[in-house]
Structure formats: structure tokens, C-alpha cells
Amino acid sequence: MEIYKDNLFVEMYTETEGHLHGFKKVLFEGKTEFQLMQIVDTYEYGRCLLLDGKMQSSQADEFIYHEFLVHPALTAHPDPKNVLIVGGGEGATLREVLRHQCVEQVDMVEIDGQVVSFAKEHLREWHQGSFEDVRSNIIIGDGRKYIEETSKSYDLIIIDISDPGDAGPAYLLYTVQFYELVKRRLKTSGMLALQAGTSSVIYGEIMASVYLTLQKVFGYVAAFEASVPSFDLPWGFCIAGNEVVPGDISQDEIDRRLLGRFVKDLRAYDGETHAGLFKTTKALRNLLCEKGRLIEDQKPIYTPL
Ligand code: SAM
């Protein structure tokens, strides 16, 4: 985020493109050990969290991002009990996972303890007390190191990390070597769900590369996109696994599971949404076939800015 003039700031995507926001107040701006963090009250999107100048989530539309990141995979799993979230500092991914009453434990590994403390203080609407739920286990540490060292296995692993900026803490969590480690920590019917960056035909190289890289490791990979207005660009998500195929679960079965698990008051996702989610546009399918490359520890991928 750079101040453009007076009460306007701009989030730049590349050297030549960005999104202008009007803001009322900067609540916090400072460097943590890992990244630049800004919490800003805007006119159109309410409160927003930015890390290294990039919009992470806004009060007005975070429900779209977090519901799509969590529920298509979690609901497709027939009986999820143990979930791991990597990243997710605002606590909203945790909030959505905990809605499913069948989930017994959620480990959340977030590298930046200051994001969690600031979220507790300034982003109440995001976490809604989820950090204090008895099923939550918050670990401050690097997600990759945790996955390398833990002996636990999970029904679902959700990667909710920042974009792979070259100076940021996330770029080694987008590689084929990392996904191999994740696969070892999944139960047989386990799944991986992640945000894959924009699915825009202009800037979609990262999503296409994540998709291709996941395909090297998992038996199936499903991709879909959603509109999250504060991100300005269409947003991509992937679900990978070996047994459960989310697109095969019917609308009625999804609604039945949501009801049975006492998941109420969702604003973006239900059985009907699920049924249409994996019927992607030709433009997205073309992007995924044409623009990707294998992401490796020795050959990582970075966002343009
Ligand atoms: N909605 C977001 C987006 O659009 O990219 C992601 C949200 S969440 C705030 C991203 C979190 O990932 C941040 O809090 C950041 O500290 C965390 N993170 C980045 N790299 C990480 C790592 N290596 N291990 C664990 N957490 C990490």
C-alpha cells in the first residue's frame, strides 16, 4: 500500500497496474519480524489487512474468500476430524473450519505471531473468538518446518498463506517439494485445499503453475475461481487429494452434510454453489493448460511485485 494522495492509497499488482482505495484511518502500520503489516479502515471495504502492500482480506468480502477456501473441501470429506491450517493469521479460516461440529481438533501454524496478536485486537469480526475455541491449537512457527517435523496426519490441510513474494516468508510453500511433504501428512482420504493466487488471464501464471505442480504429486486436482471484490481480480483455489473427488458429491449430499454438521448462516457457499463450482470456464481451463510450469525449491515462483 502506497499513499497516492490525501486519503487515497494504491495497492500495486505490477509496476503499471493497481487498485485505488479511499481510506478513513490507518490503525496500524509497522514492520513485524517477517513483513510489513498495515490495518486500514477504508470507505468501501471496511477494515482491511495488508501484508507487504498486498490486500489479505477486507471486512466487506472476507466471507467469500474464507468460505470458498474451507467449505468445498471440508464438506466433500465424509468425516473430517483433524485439520491443519498453515498461515491464516486473521483467524477467519479457523472460524470457518470450526463451524463443522464433527471437527475435533484444528492445528493452525502461523509464522507471524504479531499478525495473530493484531488480529485478536483489531479483526474481531474475522476470528469471532475462534482462537479461544477448545478445539484450536495455535502454533507460531514456519508452516514448512512444521510439516517437515510433525508426525501427525490430517483429514484436511488448508494452506492460507500470502502470495510468494521473493522477500516474503511464503515462497517455499508453493513448490513440488513442499507438496510432497504435505501429501505425507494426509490420511488416505485426506485433501489439501489452498488459495492459488489470481486466476486472471493476464496474471494467472502462478495459479497455472500451482495447478501443474500439484498434478505432479496428487491423483487428482480440482481448480475453481471466485470473485472477491477487494482483490479486484478473479481468485483461484485448488483442492488436491487421492481418493475423494469434490466435484462428484451431489448438491443434496452437500446440503445434507452441512445440516448434519450444524453449519449455519453461510453467505457464499451451499450445495447449489458446490454443484456449479467445478464447472469452470473455458478461459480458466485454457489458462491452466497453457501458462503453468513446475515450481521447485531451486526454481521458485514469485509475484510480479
Ligand atoms: N487471504 C490471503 C491472501 O489473499 O493471500 C492470505 C491470508 S493470511 C493473512 C496469510 C498469512 O500467511 C499471513 O498471516 C502470513 O504471516 C502467513 N504466512 C506466510 N508465510 C508463512 C509460513 N511460511 N508459515 C506459516 N504462515 C505463513
Side-chain angles (χ1 to χ4, degrees):
M1 159 191 159
E2 288 164 27
I3 300 297
Y4 175 69
K5 62 172 189 181
D6 304 329
N7 64 342
L8 294 171
F9 74 85
V10 63
E11 178 196 358
M12 295 302 291
Y13 306 133
T14 66
E15 296 287 355
T16 50
E17 294 288 326
H19 183 146
L20 203 59
H21 293 274
F23 70 96
K24 299 176 192 168
K25 194 173 173 191
V26 177
L27 288 147
F28 176 81
E29 174 162 357
K31 277 234 169 232
T32 72
E33 190 186 338
F34 298 96
Q35 51 215 340
L36 172 67
M37 176 164 61
Q38 292 155 316
I39 301 179
V40 189
D41 278 344
T42 66
Y43 284 95
E44 302 292 341
Y45 292 91
R47 190 155 293 180
C48 298
L49 170 71
L50 291 101
L51 293 176
D52 287 336
K54 297 275 182 292
M55 181 71 74
Q56 300 296 304
S57 53
S58 92
Q59 191 178 1
D61 62 11
E62 59 81 13
F63 70 96
I64 304 175
Y65 171 86
H66 292 108
E67 287 187 25
F68 279 123
L69 178 64
V70 172
H71 299 299
L74 193 56
T75 316
H77 192 290
D79 189 23
K81 291 191 169 9
N82 297 299
V83 177
L84 170 66
I85 298 168
V86 176
E90 308 102 316
T93 299
L94 184 60
R95 175 196 77 208
E96 291 304 320
V97 171
L98 291 169
R99 282 182 191 272
H100 292 245
Q101 301 280 300
C102 54
V103 169
E104 291 172 356
Q105 216 215 345
V106 192
D107 293 330
M108 174 180 143
V109 185
E110 161 62 58
I111 201 166
D112 198 332
Q114 278 184 275
V115 175
V116 175
S117 341
F118 273 82
K120 282 184 179 169
E121 193 181 336
H122 295 292
L123 306 178
R124 263 222 144 262
E125 267 188 45
W126 277 250
H127 60 82
Q128 293 176 16
S130 58
F131 294 120
E132 276 73 50
D133 192 290
V134 287
R135 294 174 289 162
S136 301
N137 174 33
I138 313 301
I139 300 153
I140 302 302
D142 175 36
R144 176 150 176 169
K145 189 162 182 288
Y146 175 83
I147 286 184
E148 275 165 3
E149 291 175 359
T150 187
S151 54
K152 281 184 161 180
S153 341
Y154 294 93
D155 298 305
L156 178 65
I157 296 181
I158 301 173
I159 312 286
D160 182 19
I161 51 168
S162 351
D163 289 342
D166 57 0
Y171 75 96
L172 282 177
L173 286 75
Y174 284 84
T175 68
V176 69
Q177 288 81 8
F178 176 67
Y179 296 142
E180 289 284 2
L181 294 166
V182 168
K183 188 178 164 186
R184 277 193 246 148
R185 304 279 41 103
L186 286 173
K187 294 181 191 165
T188 319
S189 56
M191 283 181 278
L192 164 66
L194 50 80
Q195 72 94 359
T198 178
S199 57
S200 151
V201 291
I202 316 291
Y203 308 119
E205 193 205 334
I206 292 179
M207 180 180 186
S209 300
V210 166
Y211 181 77
L212 184 145
T213 305
L214 288 169
Q215 281 184 318
K216 297 280 177 223
V217 178
F218 293 95
Y220 80 85
V221 185
F224 61 94
E225 60 188 341
S227 166
V228 184
S230 60
F231 292 173
D232 220 5
L233 299 162
W235 215 253
F237 299 84
C238 293
I239 300 175
N242 289 307
E243 247 181 27
V244 181
V245 178
D248 287 353
I249 322 266
S250 72
Q251 176 174 335
D252 287 349
E253 178 61 11
I254 293 288
D255 284 332
R256 200 187 58 74
R257 287 184 188 180
L258 290 173
L259 200 67
R261 296 176 191 180
F262 304 99
V263 181
K264 289 186 295 207
D265 304 325
L266 297 183
R267 294 155 74 196
Y269 175 82
D270 62 3
E272 186 173 342
T273 310
H274 187 97
L277 213 53
F278 305 99
K279 305 244 178 289
T280 52
T281 63
K282 188 171 181 183
L284 177 59
R285 278 177 273 131
N286 285 346
L287 171 85
L288 297 178
C289 292
E290 289 163 10
K291 285 220 173 159
R293 66 149 172 97
L294 188 69
I295 312 172
E296 298 174 88
D297 284 356
Q298 299 309 322
K299 205 178 165 208
I301 201 160
Y302 301 119
T303 41
L305 259 192

